[in-house]
């Protein structure tokens, strides 16, 4: 099950990187649109919007999968550690777990801070600045989400090794005597 969770983390990171590429394209498109509205192909805008909606749906699905998967996996390894007579808090306590928990808690705050732009339709320069700032904020937020995905993979990898060492390390010492 840890391999499945690592696969979900890798997929999440890849999809976040794809989203950053799409956001960079969106940034350039908004820049072009607000600089010269007549020079924009609406079909191109629709294709970009469709790709962004698809990637956003994938990200939502992967977030749900890794949150549910991580909680189930954590409960499972907790039980394995307890069943082997070890202290789960000692085995599962690692700085990566704390950093992952903090980053997951910070993500909704960042989501609120990078909300949809308020566009003033009366002033093109202000609207342009608002839209470009929104795209920049979305790129930063997606970068943070990518880091959270990497942290998830790191936590799973580290805890997997710690549990394995805690359980089998003693067995290997007994067998080698």
């Amino acid at each position: 099950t840890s391999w499945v969770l690592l696969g979900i983390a890798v997929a999440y990171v890849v999809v976040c990187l794809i989203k950053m590429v799409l956001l960079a394209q969106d940034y350039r498109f908004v820049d072009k649109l607000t600089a010269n509205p007549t020079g924009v192909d609406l079909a191109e805008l629709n294709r970009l919007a469709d790709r962004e909606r698809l990637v956003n749906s994938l990200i939502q699905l992967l977030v749900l999968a890794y949150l549910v998967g991580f909680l189930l996996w954590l409960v499972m390894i907790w039980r394995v550690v307890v069943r082997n007579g070890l202290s789960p808090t000692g085995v599962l306590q690692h700085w990566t777990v704390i950093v992952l928990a903090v980053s997951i808690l910070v993500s909704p705050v960042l989501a609120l801070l990078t909300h949809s732009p308020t566009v003033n339709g009366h002033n093109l320069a202000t609207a342009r600045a608002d839209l470009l700032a929104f795209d920049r904020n979305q790129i930063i937020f997606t970068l943070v989400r990518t880091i959270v995905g990497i942290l998830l993979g790191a936590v799973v990898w580290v805890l997997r090794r710690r549990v394995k060492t805690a359980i089998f390390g003693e067995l290997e010492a007994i067998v080698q005597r």
Side-chain angles (χ1 to χ4, degrees):
T1 50
S2 56
W3 291 110
V4 171
L5 203 50
L6 286 169
I8 290 170
V10 168
Y12 180 74
V13 168
V14 168
V15 173
C16 282
L17 292 173
I18 291 169
K19 179 172 175 140
M20 281 195 287
V21 169
L22 291 173
L23 286 169
Q25 290 174 355
D26 185 64
Y27 184 88
R28 285 193 305 274
F29 192 83
V30 167
D31 188 35
K32 189 165 105 177
L33 174 68
T34 55
N36 180 13
T38 59
V40 174
D41 180 16
L42 289 179
E44 180 185 348
L45 174 64
N46 288 330
R47 283 190 301 274
L48 180 60
D50 288 342
R51 287 190 300 252
E52 284 187 34
R53 278 191 287 278
L54 175 65
V55 167
N56 285 337
S57 296
L58 284 172
I59 285 177
Q60 289 174 353
L61 178 67
L62 289 168
V63 165
L64 179 64
Y66 89 59
L67 286 175
V68 170
F70 183 72
L71 289 174
L72 291 173
W73 179 78
L74 196 58
V75 167
M76 183 187 74
I77 64 170
W78 185 283
R79 289 181 178 169
V80 167
V81 169
V82 169
R83 189 173 50 231
N84 283 283
L86 300 169
S87 166
T89 54
V91 175
L92 303 178
Q93 187 175 354
H94 194 264
W95 67 268
T96 56
V97 177
I98 296 166
V99 171
L100 177 66
V102 168
S103 65
I104 288 173
L105 293 175
V106 167
S107 290
V109 174
L110 279 176
L112 290 174
L113 293 175
T114 58
H115 57 80
S116 297
T118 306
V119 178
N120 179 355
H122 302 308
N123 183 336
L124 183 60
T126 303
R128 179 173 197 245
D130 289 345
L131 289 169
L132 292 175
F134 173 73
D135 280 346
R136 277 191 304 272
N137 288 340
Q138 287 297 305
I139 291 169
I140 292 167
F141 178 57
T142 304
L143 177 63
V144 170
R145 291 175 87 170
T146 304
I147 292 168
V148 170
I150 293 168
L151 280 171
L152 174 70
V155 166
V156 170
W157 186 260
V158 166
L159 291 184
R160 181 180 172 276
R161 292 187 59 91
R162 286 177 63 94
V163 168
K164 184 178 176 184
T165 301
I167 292 171
F168 297 115
E170 293 178 22
L171 290 174
E172 288 177 12
I174 292 170
V175 170
Q176 290 178 357
R177 281 190 216 169

